[in-house]
Amino acid sequence: PEYFSVRMRAAEGKAHELGGKHISGGERLCDHSQLGAIATELLAKASNHTRGSADFIQLVVEKVPSEQLQFIPPLDVSAIEVATVQEGHDKAKDQLAAAGVSERAIEHAFFILNHERNLRGAAIVNCETGERLDDREQKGVRVSRMDWNDGGQVEDSVRVREALALATKVAHSPYTVAELCWSDDPDYVTGYVSSQQLGYVRISPLKKMGCESGGRVFFVHNDVDIDSYMNFLERKPVFIQG
Ligand code: PML
């Protein structure tokens, strides 16, 4: 069958202005017969999340070449519960170091996630030097064109299911060393560290309740071809199959 990428983005502020606040997003892949239902589902998600506060909601439907479609298994999921945010940060740093990320790169990533208030997508950081390699500033890199092939029964929370699909796609690139993420949602304090070897390691709490800064950092090998890496993340269609 032919497949379509269906993407939704909702924000406050003008459509393409920097500083426009991202408030909801969604990524799906489906065949023609599901198109109407999935588009409706994503619009419902946008409207539930934003409760009327969005200045625009964008829905994009695009055919994906099925010969490019890849099927990959989800990362294994594990969880670490800690008593304090500081302890959560220490655990995350240990995991990242074990994956081969330098102390300097880890510190820069924590700086980015603590300070970039409006980081909408991900920042790409060199795992040795800590240098940020993408030129997207607050916009960051948005990982796109991935979905669960079976509806993703593995995890029952939509948030975790979406994050696991994204982390699985990111970890699949040979350029990726590890990922660090915590949400910019002030009410959600669980984050994760992931990589092909570590799997998807949920850490709770990884930030303070009420804190609005967050996002994702992808640590990459020194020899990364940044254009082909970003092309993979943004354009390559991937089905996660449990
Ligand atoms: C987000 O929703 O912005 C990030 C989701 C992180 C999910 C962490 C988890 O609970 O596994």
Side-chain angles (χ1 to χ4, degrees):
E2 287 180 313
Y3 285 94
F4 294 85
S5 158
V6 190
R7 313 191 282 281
M8 176 277 288
R9 186 162 90 86
E12 285 169 352
K14 299 237 174 65
H16 299 291
E17 256 171 29
L18 257 167
K21 193 177 177 215
H22 169 93
I23 33 186
S24 184
E27 284 289 339
R28 304 295 305 273
L29 289 172
C30 64
D31 65 24
H32 182 258
S33 71
Q34 301 163 295
L35 208 46
I38 300 265
T40 307
E41 217 179 276
L42 284 175
L43 283 176
K45 179 183 180 185
S47 117
N48 285 340
H49 273 183
T50 62
R51 295 175 200 288
S53 70
D55 289 295
F56 80 97
I57 298 171
Q58 189 182 54
L59 191 74
V60 176
V61 180
E62 195 179 18
K63 194 177 274 180
V64 298
S66 42
E67 69 278 4
Q68 283 185 16
L69 201 56
Q70 267 186 297
F71 294 80
I72 56 181
L75 296 173
D76 291 331
V77 178
S78 61
I80 300 176
E81 301 280 336
V82 289
T84 63
V85 173
Q86 186 53 51
E87 236 184 286
H89 283 195
D90 291 345
K91 292 282 183 204
K93 288 175 183 179
D94 290 348
Q95 298 280 335
L96 291 168
V101 181
S102 76
E103 202 181 314
R104 207 160 140 195
I106 293 173
E107 290 310 322
H108 190 204
F110 274 81
F111 179 84
I112 292 172
L113 294 191
N114 280 320
H115 295 272
E116 281 282 0
R117 285 216 136 216
N118 259 325
L119 182 61
R120 303 207 290 269
I124 300 176
V125 166
N126 183 308
C127 80
E128 291 176 27
T129 65
E131 186 193 349
R132 181 159 175 193
L133 301 176
D134 65 280
D135 55 2
R136 299 285 178 76
E137 302 183 354
Q138 285 134 294
K139 186 168 182 283
V141 178
R142 176 173 172 181
V143 185
S144 181
R145 295 165 173 79
M146 70 286 179
D147 197 358
W148 289 86
N149 194 25
D150 50 10
Q153 256 64 50
V154 210
E155 297 293 334
D156 27 76
S157 134
V158 173
R159 188 195 292 266
V160 178
R161 197 163 71 208
E162 290 176 348
L164 178 57
L166 186 152
T168 298
K169 179 176 178 187
V170 172
H172 188 72
S173 165
Y175 289 126
T176 302
V177 174
E179 175 185 347
L180 169 68
C181 165
W182 69 76
S183 182
D184 58 2
D185 177 344
D187 298 324
Y188 196 81
V189 299
T190 304
Y192 65 88
V193 170
S194 59
S195 81
Q196 206 61 48
Q197 270 83 41
L198 299 169
Y200 180 92
V201 185
R202 308 182 66 203
I203 301 173
S204 196
L206 203 45
K207 71 171 215 177
K208 282 203 178 68
M209 196 59 112
C211 156
E212 286 193 15
S213 69
R216 291 181 159 88
V217 174
F218 305 152
F219 300 94
V220 294
H221 286 291
N222 209 11
D223 67 355
V224 67
D225 174 341
I226 192 74
D227 292 335
S228 84
Y229 185 60
M230 282 168 50
N231 186 61
F232 167 80
L233 297 174
E234 294 179 328
R235 306 205 59 90
K236 185 99 175 124
V238 166
F239 259 133
I240 314 299
Q241 186 144 285

